[in-house]
Coordinates of all heavy atoms in Angstrom, one line a residue:
L1 N 17.2 -34.2 -10.0 CA 17.0 -32.8 -10.1 C 15.6 -32.4 -10.4 O 15.1 -31.4 -9.8 CB 17.9 -32.3 -11.3 CG 19.4 -32.3 -11.1 CD1 20.1 -32.0 -12.4 CD2 19.8 -31.3 -10.0
T2 N 14.8 -33.1 -11.2 CA 13.4 -32.9 -11.4 C 12.6 -33.0 -10.1 O 11.8 -32.1 -9.8 CB 12.9 -33.9 -12.5 OG1 13.6 -33.7 -13.7 CG2 11.4 -33.6 -12.7
R3 N 12.9 -34.0 -9.3 CA 12.2 -34.2 -8.1 C 12.6 -33.1 -7.1 O 11.7 -32.6 -6.4 CB 12.6 -35.6 -7.5 CG 12.0 -35.9 -6.1 CD 12.4 -37.2 -5.6 NE 13.8 -37.5 -5.5 CZ 14.6 -37.0 -4.6 NH1 14.2 -36.2 -3.6 NH2 15.9 -37.3 -4.7
N4 N 13.8 -32.7 -7.0 CA 14.3 -31.6 -6.1 C 13.6 -30.3 -6.5 O 13.2 -29.6 -5.6 CB 15.8 -31.5 -6.2 CG 16.5 -32.6 -5.4 OD1 15.9 -33.3 -4.7 ND2 17.8 -32.7 -5.7
V5 N 13.5 -30.0 -7.7 CA 12.8 -28.8 -8.2 C 11.3 -28.8 -7.8 O 10.8 -27.9 -7.2 CB 12.9 -28.5 -9.7 CG1 12.0 -27.4 -10.1 CG2 14.4 -28.1 -10.0
A6 N 10.7 -30.0 -8.0 CA 9.3 -30.1 -7.7 C 9.1 -30.0 -6.2 O 8.1 -29.3 -5.7 CB 8.7 -31.5 -8.2
E7 N 9.9 -30.6 -5.4 CA 9.8 -30.5 -3.9 C 10.0 -29.1 -3.4 O 9.3 -28.6 -2.6 CB 10.8 -31.5 -3.2 CG 10.5 -32.9 -3.4 CD 11.5 -33.9 -2.8 OE1 12.6 -33.4 -2.3 OE2 11.3 -35.1 -2.9
L8 N 11.0 -28.4 -4.0 CA 11.3 -27.1 -3.6 C 10.1 -26.2 -3.9 O 9.6 -25.4 -3.0 CB 12.5 -26.5 -4.2 CG 12.9 -25.1 -3.9 CD1 13.2 -24.9 -2.5 CD2 14.0 -24.6 -4.8
L9 N 9.5 -26.3 -5.1 CA 8.4 -25.4 -5.5 C 7.2 -25.7 -4.6 O 6.4 -24.8 -4.2 CB 8.1 -25.6 -6.9 CG 9.2 -25.1 -7.9 CD1 8.8 -25.4 -9.3 CD2 9.4 -23.6 -7.7
Q10 N 7.0 -27.0 -4.2 CA 5.9 -27.3 -3.3 C 6.1 -26.7 -1.9 O 5.1 -26.2 -1.3 CB 5.7 -28.9 -3.3 CG 4.5 -29.3 -2.4 CD 3.2 -28.8 -2.9 OE1 3.0 -28.6 -4.1 NE2 2.3 -28.5 -2.0
E11 N 7.3 -26.8 -1.4 CA 7.6 -26.2 -0.1 C 7.3 -24.7 -0.1 O 6.8 -24.2 0.8 CB 9.0 -26.5 0.3 CG 9.3 -28.0 0.6 CD 10.8 -28.3 0.6 OE1 11.6 -27.3 0.4 OE2 11.1 -29.4 0.8
L12 N 7.7 -24.1 -1.2 CA 7.5 -22.6 -1.3 C 6.1 -22.2 -1.4 O 5.7 -21.2 -0.9 CB 8.3 -22.1 -2.5 CG 9.8 -22.1 -2.4 CD1 10.5 -21.7 -3.7 CD2 10.3 -21.3 -1.2
R13 N 5.2 -23.1 -1.9 CA 3.8 -22.8 -2.0 C 3.2 -22.6 -0.6 O 2.4 -21.8 -0.3 CB 3.0 -23.9 -2.7 CG 3.2 -23.8 -4.2 CD 2.3 -24.9 -4.9 NE 2.6 -25.0 -6.3 CZ 3.5 -25.9 -6.8 NH1 4.0 -26.8 -6.1 NH2 3.7 -25.8 -8.1
V14 N 3.7 -23.5 0.3 CA 3.2 -23.4 1.7 C 3.6 -22.0 2.3 O 2.8 -21.3 2.9 CB 3.8 -24.5 2.6 CG1 3.5 -24.4 4.0 CG2 3.3 -25.9 2.0
A15 N 4.9 -21.7 2.2 CA 5.4 -20.4 2.7 C 4.7 -19.2 2.1 O 4.4 -18.2 2.7 CB 6.9 -20.3 2.6
Q16 N 4.5 -19.3 0.8 CA 3.9 -18.2 0.0 C 2.5 -17.9 0.5 O 2.2 -16.7 0.6 CB 3.9 -18.5 -1.5 CG 5.2 -18.5 -2.2 CD 5.1 -19.0 -3.6 OE1 4.1 -19.4 -4.1 NE2 6.3 -19.0 -4.2
A17 N 1.7 -18.9 0.8 CA 0.4 -18.6 1.2 C 0.4 -17.9 2.5 O -0.3 -16.9 2.7 CB -0.4 -20.0 1.4
G18 N 1.2 -18.3 3.5 CA 1.3 -17.6 4.7 C 1.7 -16.2 4.6 O 1.2 -15.2 5.2
V19 N 2.8 -15.9 3.8 CA 3.3 -14.5 3.7 C 2.3 -13.7 3.0 O 2.2 -12.5 3.3 CB 4.7 -14.5 3.1 CG1 4.7 -14.8 1.6 CG2 5.4 -13.2 3.4
Q20 N 1.6 -14.2 2.0 CA 0.6 -13.4 1.3 C -0.6 -13.0 2.2 O -1.1 -11.9 2.1 CB 0.2 -14.1 0.0 CG 1.2 -14.1 -1.0 CD 0.9 -15.1 -2.2 OE1 0.1 -16.0 -2.1 NE2 1.7 -14.9 -3.3
I21 N -1.0 -13.9 3.0 CA -2.1 -13.6 4.0 C -1.6 -12.5 5.0 O -2.3 -11.6 5.3 CB -2.5 -14.9 4.7 CG1 -3.3 -15.8 3.8 CG2 -3.4 -14.5 5.9 CD1 -3.5 -17.2 4.3
L22 N -0.4 -12.7 5.5 CA 0.2 -11.7 6.4 C 0.3 -10.3 5.7 O 0.0 -9.3 6.3 CB 1.6 -12.2 6.9 CG 2.4 -11.2 7.7 CD1 1.6 -10.9 9.0 CD2 3.8 -11.7 8.0
F23 N 0.8 -10.3 4.5 CA 0.9 -9.1 3.7 C -0.4 -8.4 3.6 O -0.6 -7.2 3.8 CB 1.5 -9.3 2.4 CG 1.8 -8.1 1.6 CD1 2.7 -7.1 2.0 CD2 1.1 -7.8 0.4 CE1 3.0 -6.0 1.2 CE2 1.3 -6.7 -0.3 CZ 2.2 -5.7 0.1
G24 N -1.5 -9.1 3.3 CA -2.8 -8.6 3.2 C -3.3 -8.0 4.5 O -3.9 -6.9 4.5
F25 N -3.0 -8.7 5.6 CA -3.4 -8.2 6.9 C -2.7 -6.9 7.2 O -3.3 -5.9 7.6 CB -3.1 -9.3 8.0 CG -3.0 -8.7 9.4 CD1 -4.2 -8.4 10.0 CD2 -1.8 -8.5 10.0 CE1 -4.2 -7.9 11.3 CE2 -1.8 -7.9 11.3 CZ -3.0 -7.6 11.9
L26 N -1.4 -6.9 6.9 CA -0.6 -5.7 7.2 C -1.1 -4.5 6.4 O -1.1 -3.3 6.8 CB 0.9 -5.9 7.0 CG 1.5 -6.9 8.0 CD1 2.9 -7.3 7.6 CD2 1.6 -6.2 9.4
L27 N -1.4 -4.7 5.1 CA -1.9 -3.6 4.3 C -3.3 -3.1 4.8 O -3.5 -1.9 4.9 CB -2.1 -4.1 2.9 CG -0.9 -4.3 2.0 CD1 -1.2 -4.8 0.6 CD2 -0.1 -3.0 2.0
A28 N -4.1 -4.0 5.3 CA -5.4 -3.6 5.8 C -5.3 -2.8 7.1 O -6.1 -1.8 7.3 CB -6.3 -4.8 6.0
V29 N -4.3 -3.1 7.9 CA -4.1 -2.4 9.2 C -4.0 -0.9 8.9 O -4.5 0.0 9.7 CB -2.9 -2.9 9.9 CG1 -2.5 -2.0 11.0 CG2 -3.2 -4.3 10.5
A30 N -3.3 -0.5 7.9 CA -3.0 0.9 7.6 C -4.3 1.7 7.3 O -4.3 3.0 7.4 CB -2.0 1.1 6.5
F31 N -5.4 1.0 7.0 CA -6.6 1.7 6.6 C -7.7 1.6 7.7 O -8.8 1.8 7.4 CB -7.1 1.2 5.3 CG -6.1 1.4 4.2 CD1 -5.3 0.4 3.7 CD2 -6.0 2.7 3.6 CE1 -4.4 0.6 2.7 CE2 -5.0 2.9 2.6 CZ -4.2 1.9 2.2
T32 N -7.2 1.3 8.9 CA -8.2 1.2 10.0 C -8.1 2.5 10.9 O -7.1 3.2 10.9 CB -7.9 0.0 10.9 OG1 -6.6 0.2 11.5 CG2 -7.9 -1.3 10.1
E33 N -9.2 2.7 11.7 CA -9.2 3.9 12.6 C -8.2 3.7 13.6 O -7.6 4.7 14.1 CB -10.6 4.0 13.2 CG -10.7 5.2 14.1 CD -12.1 5.4 14.7 OE1 -13.1 4.9 14.1 OE2 -12.1 5.9 15.8
V34 N -7.9 2.5 14.1 CA -6.9 2.3 15.2 C -5.5 2.8 14.7 O -4.8 3.4 15.5 CB -6.9 0.8 15.5 CG1 -5.7 0.5 16.5 CG2 -8.2 0.4 16.2
Y35 N -5.3 2.6 13.4 CA -3.9 3.0 12.9 C -3.7 4.5 13.0 O -2.6 5.0 13.2 CB -3.8 2.5 11.4 CG -2.4 2.7 10.9 CD1 -1.4 1.8 11.2 CD2 -2.1 3.8 10.1 CE1 -0.1 2.0 10.7 CE2 -0.8 3.9 9.6 CZ 0.2 3.0 9.9 OH 1.5 3.2 9.5
T36 N -4.8 5.3 12.9 CA -4.7 6.7 13.0 C -4.2 7.2 14.4 O -3.7 8.2 14.5 CB -6.0 7.4 12.6 OG1 -7.0 7.0 13.5 CG2 -6.4 7.1 11.2
R37 N -4.5 6.3 15.4 CA -4.1 6.6 16.7 C -2.7 6.0 17.1 O -2.2 6.1 18.2 CB -5.1 6.1 17.7 CG -6.5 6.8 17.6 CD -7.4 6.4 18.7 NE -7.6 5.0 18.8 CZ -8.6 4.3 18.3 NH1 -9.5 4.9 17.5 NH2 -8.7 3.0 18.5
A38 N -2.1 5.3 16.1 CA -0.8 4.6 16.4 C 0.3 5.7 16.6 O 0.3 6.8 16.0 CB -0.4 3.8 15.2
D39 N 1.2 5.4 17.5 CA 2.3 6.3 17.8 C 3.4 6.0 16.8 O 3.3 5.1 15.9 CB 2.8 6.1 19.2 CG 3.3 4.8 19.6 OD1 3.8 4.0 18.7 OD2 3.3 4.4 20.8
D40 N 4.5 6.8 16.9 CA 5.6 6.7 15.9 C 6.3 5.3 15.9 O 6.6 4.8 14.9 CB 6.7 7.8 16.2 CG 6.2 9.2 15.7 OD1 5.2 9.2 15.0 OD2 6.8 10.1 16.2
F41 N 6.4 4.7 17.1 CA 7.0 3.4 17.3 C 6.2 2.4 16.5 O 6.7 1.6 15.7 CB 7.2 3.0 18.7 CG 7.7 1.6 19.0 CD1 9.0 1.3 18.8 CD2 6.8 0.6 19.4 CE1 9.5 0.0 19.0 CE2 7.2 -0.7 19.6 CZ 8.6 -1.0 19.3
Q42 N 4.9 2.4 16.7 CA 4.0 1.4 16.1 C 4.0 1.6 14.6 O 4.0 0.6 13.8 CB 2.6 1.6 16.7 CG 2.5 1.1 18.1 CD 1.2 1.6 18.8 OE1 0.5 2.5 18.4 NE2 1.0 1.0 20.0
R43 N 4.0 2.8 14.1 CA 4.0 3.1 12.7 C 5.3 2.6 12.1 O 5.4 2.0 11.0 CB 3.8 4.6 12.4 CG 2.4 5.0 12.6 CD 2.3 6.5 12.4 NE 1.0 7.0 12.7 CZ 0.0 7.3 11.9 NH1 0.1 7.1 10.6 NH2 -1.2 7.7 12.3
G44 N 6.4 2.8 12.8 CA 7.7 2.4 12.3 C 7.8 0.9 12.3 O 8.3 0.3 11.3
V45 N 7.3 0.2 13.3 CA 7.3 -1.3 13.3 C 6.4 -1.8 12.2 O 6.8 -2.7 11.5 CB 6.8 -1.8 14.7 CG1 6.5 -3.3 14.6 CG2 7.8 -1.5 15.8
H46 N 5.3 -1.1 12.0 CA 4.4 -1.6 10.9 C 5.1 -1.5 9.6 O 5.0 -2.4 8.8 CB 3.1 -0.7 10.9 CG 2.1 -1.1 9.9 ND1 2.0 -0.4 8.7 CD2 1.3 -2.1 9.8 CE1 1.1 -0.9 8.0 NE2 0.6 -2.0 8.6
L47 N 5.7 -0.3 9.3 CA 6.4 -0.1 8.0 C 7.5 -1.1 7.8 O 7.6 -1.8 6.7 CB 6.9 1.3 7.9 CG 7.7 1.6 6.6 CD1 6.8 1.4 5.4 CD2 8.3 3.0 6.6

């Protein structure tokens, strides 16, 4: 059980890093000039 918990938490560290980088990128997109020209479909997909 101890090993399984340690393995699971290590696996999640890998996924967490990727999703946090993606989240940061997505947040930054909303503050760009290109975003002001986005159509409704693009804004919906972004949200």
Side-chain angles (χ1 to χ4, degrees):
L1 289 171
T2 299
R3 179 180 51 79
N4 287 344
V5 168
E7 287 175 0
L8 178 66
L9 293 176
Q10 183 59 34
E11 291 165 2
L12 291 174
R13 283 185 190 99
V14 173
Q16 287 170 1
V19 75
Q20 288 169 343
I21 291 167
L22 175 62
F23 183 67
F25 163 76
L26 291 169
L27 286 179
V29 165
F31 298 101
T32 64
E33 183 181 330
V34 173
Y35 189 78
T36 62
R37 295 188 307 264
D39 61 28
D40 288 343
F41 175 75
Q42 292 164 343
R43 288 176 188 260
V45 169
H46 179 260
L47 178 60

